[in-house]
């Protein structure tokens, strides 16, 4: 979301390559200043008939956003394609509440010091939206994908960048519209201290991202029937846009750092340029041409720093670098798993001994083996074979052991004296049983639900 104007001294024209590397360099922080930012999306439905509410209808997405004012949130507006100003997000002390293309509601949480704060933030948000939902007859689902809706049954939110992306997606992949309209995720954003620290965290997180996909697999239904996958949301990314998704082999190459990621981003085709309160369609154009003042839609004009920041947000690999690292492999889920995802990655990446052990766990895998793991995990989840023998469940068991040691070493305690390891309990249960969330949903579908997909709405937060 953006309401900025692309002009002024605070938004300088990009004149040299150092300005492209700057956002990543500016992200460097001492370990004492590392924070945890958690993002989670949820599906919104009307309890009466399970339809997905539109932006403008009574008790629709706009009304849901505006009702957050009673909790101290403030509206953020954007000028739509028709020239009208509309609320597209709310901001407050807990971050921002925004809307995804079909009205999925997202909390982009504030940068917090520990997981106790993260889970408390999540709890406040869910309590607020559930209270609003109770008054409006609206409910929320913590799933990775709409279990029953076709694309045509879903509304489109009035955001300029989404209009451009919805036009462009079918040109570059078969499932991009599903990604935009039908999926939900949980993500966590983490810091690094240096370029070398960033590179090691990036490699470790990228190699282990299929484990997060498996543990959080929660999208086994499409249009009311089992789809043959445990994380169909993850599969969707494999046919969305090959220019801006995937496992990024170059991250594992010697010498990887900020400069190499800049080169990658310069090769990612553009989506848009934001000017005078509007998004201009630049889909498929080259940021390299923009740097030379040769962008066809803005001839003679060079990009501003904000244009580069915008462009950094339009790549969708399994791990993404901006001024922090984003972990992007998990399906959406309920409260306990929203707290568990940051616990997994903080435990693995924020203690040096844990990070070293986690890298040792995956460093000998070849790029071909990593790619095969990525391809297989949406169907098989923890049963996916791993290099050297065994399954991803075995890797998960060891990764959780490492993670727990990392959280213990952090020694971030709540007022009761508990450390952060309690947030791993839901993942411990998944590893112990060998059943990921999607498999439990399928058991219910084939069992007590008797094939009635509407029973999934009883899984509300």
């Amino acid at each position: 979301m953006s309401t900025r104007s692309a002009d002024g001294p605070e938004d300088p024209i990009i004149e040299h390559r150092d300005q492209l590397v700057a956002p990543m360099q500016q992200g460097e922080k001492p370990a004492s200043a590392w924070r945890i930012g958690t993002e989670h999306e949820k599906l919104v439905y009307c309890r009466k008939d399970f339809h997905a509410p539109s932006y403008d209808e009574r008790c629709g997405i706009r009304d849901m956003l505006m009702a957050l004012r009673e909790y101290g949130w403030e509206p953020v507006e954007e000028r739509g394609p028709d020239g009208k100003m509309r609320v597209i997000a709310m901001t407050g002390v807990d971050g921002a509440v925004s809307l995804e293309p079909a009205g999925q509601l997202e909390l982009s949480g504030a940068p917090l010091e520990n997981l106790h704060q993260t889970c408390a933030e999540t709890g406040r948000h869910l309590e607020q939206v559930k209270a609003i939902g109770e008054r409006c007859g609206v409910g929320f689902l913590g799933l990775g994908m709409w279990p029953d809706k076709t694309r045509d049954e879903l509304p489109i939110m009035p955001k300029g960048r989404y209009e451009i992306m919805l036009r462009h997606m079918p040109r570059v992949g078969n499932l991009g519209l599903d990604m935009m309209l039908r999926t939900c995720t949980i993500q966590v954003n983490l810091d690094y201290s240096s370029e070398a620290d960033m590179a090691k965290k990036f490699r470790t997180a990228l190699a282990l991202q299929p484990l997060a996909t498996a543990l959080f697999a929660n999208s086994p239904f499409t249009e009311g029937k089992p789809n043959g996958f445990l994380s169909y949301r993850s599969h969707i990314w494999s046919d969305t846009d090959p220019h801006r998704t995937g496992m990024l082999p170059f991250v594992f190459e010697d010498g990887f750092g900020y400069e190499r990621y800049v080169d990658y981003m310069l090769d990612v085709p553009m989506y848009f340029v934001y000017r005078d309160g509007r998004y201009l369609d630049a889909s498929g154009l080259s940021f390299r041409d923009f740097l030379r003042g040769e962008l066809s839609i803005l001839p003679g004009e060079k990009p501003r720093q904000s244009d580069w920041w915008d462009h950094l947000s339009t790549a969708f690999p399994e791990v993404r670098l901006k001024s922090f690292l984003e972990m992007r492999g998990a399906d959406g889920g309920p409260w306990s798993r929203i707290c568990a995802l940051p616990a997994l990655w903080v435990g693995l990446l924020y203690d040096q001994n844990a990070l070293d052990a986690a890298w040792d766990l995956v460093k000998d895998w070849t790029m071909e083996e990593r790619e095969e793991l990525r391809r297989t995990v949406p169907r098989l989840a923890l049963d996916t074979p791993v290099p050297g023998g065994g399954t991803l469940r075995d890797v998960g068991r060891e990764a959780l052991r490492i993670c727990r040691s990392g959280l213990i070493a952090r020694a971030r305690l709540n007022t009761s004296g508990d450390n952060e390891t309690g947030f791993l309990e839901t993942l411990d249960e998944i590893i112990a049983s060998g059943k990921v969330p999607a498999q439990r949903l399928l058991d219910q579908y084939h069992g007590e639900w008797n094939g009635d997909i509407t029973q999934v709405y009883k899984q509300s937060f």
Side-chain angles (χ1 to χ4, degrees), residues 25-284:
Q25 290 176 325
Q26 290 167 5
E28 295 178 1
K29 299 178 178 69
S32 60
W34 290 351
R35 296 294 181 263
I36 307 161
T38 306
E39 304 177 22
H40 46 94
E41 301 164 356
K42 61 202 73 66
L43 302 167
V44 185
Y45 69 93
C46 291
R47 295 180 185 274
K48 184 177 180 180
D49 59 7
F50 306 131
H51 83 271
S54 68
Y55 181 83
D56 288 313
E57 70 183 73
R58 182 180 176 278
C59 281
I61 300 300
R62 179 190 178 278
D63 288 351
M64 292 291 297
L65 288 175
M66 292 301 288
L68 287 168
R69 288 182 298 178
E70 63 193 78
Y71 297 102
W73 297 81
E74 295 293 333
V76 176
E77 293 186 325
E78 177 186 288
R79 191 177 305 280
D82 58 2
K84 295 182 180 178
M85 297 297 291
R86 291 184 176 86
V87 175
I88 50 101
M90 304 293 286
T91 60
V93 294
D94 283 339
V97 179
S98 59
L99 45 88
E100 292 297 298
Q104 307 97 309
L105 213 60
E106 177 182 18
L107 174 69
S108 298
L112 301 172
E113 294 183 22
N114 61 63
L115 295 164
H116 308 294
Q117 295 170 341
T118 296
C119 209
E121 173 191 78
T122 299
R124 285 191 297 273
H125 170 69
L126 293 180
E127 287 170 4
Q128 291 169 10
V129 296
K130 284 171 67 176
I132 294 166
E134 285 294 326
R135 296 200 303 266
C136 282
V138 169
F140 305 91
L141 276 179
L143 293 173
M145 178 175 170
W146 272 112
D148 55 351
K149 303 288 186 286
T150 66
R151 292 178 186 171
D152 291 341
E153 290 174 316
L154 294 169
I156 303 296
M157 298 297 107
K159 289 184 67 173
R161 66 186 292 169
Y162 293 160
E163 181 183 43
I164 292 167
M165 292 172 67
L166 287 165
R167 284 198 303 267
H168 182 68
M169 284 293 179
R171 303 170 189 158
V172 292
N174 294 311
L175 299 178
L177 295 181
D178 290 317
M179 179 276 290
M180 293 185 68
L181 300 175
R182 296 210 271 192
T183 65
C184 282
T185 186
I186 309 167
Q187 297 176 190
V188 61
N189 306 323
L190 298 178
D191 292 318
Y192 46 84
S193 61
S194 65
E195 187 171 25
D197 184 46
M198 178 281 295
K200 187 164 187 176
K201 285 175 175 172
F202 205 144
R203 289 169 176 151
T204 304
L206 200 53
L208 282 171
Q209 210 61 218
L211 174 62
T213 298
L215 287 168
F216 290 80
N218 197 30
S219 46
F221 305 114
T222 303
E223 297 176 17
K225 302 292 183 182
N227 53 35
F229 291 82
L230 298 174
S231 177
Y232 194 71
R233 183 205 65 86
S234 180
H235 170 68
I236 282 170
W237 281 110
S238 69
D239 195 4
T240 292
D241 184 343
H243 294 104
R244 63 184 82 238
T245 59
M247 290 291 284
L248 306 187
F250 66 85
V251 170
F252 298 96
E253 295 173 359
D254 291 343
F256 167 69
Y258 303 140
E259 292 278 357
R260 183 64 185 86
Y261 196 82
V262 165
D263 288 336
Y264 161 70
M265 285 304 308
L266 289 175
D267 289 333
V268 170
M270 295 177 67
Y271 274 151
F272 56 79
V273 180
Y274 188 82
R275 287 293 183 274
D276 300 321
R278 295 178 183 274
Y279 286 95
L280 307 181
D281 191 341
S283 53

Side-chain angles (χ1 to χ4, degrees), residues 14 265-270 273 282 284-303 311:
I14 296 177
M265 285 304 308
L266 289 175
D267 289 333
V268 170
M270 295 177 67
V273 180
L285 301 182
S286 166
F287 206 94
R288 294 182 191 275
D289 289 345
F290 201 3
L291 289 170
R292 293 191 291 266
E294 298 172 1
L295 196 68
S296 59
I297 63 168
L298 291 172
E301 186 170 336
K302 290 188 175 184
H311 188 59

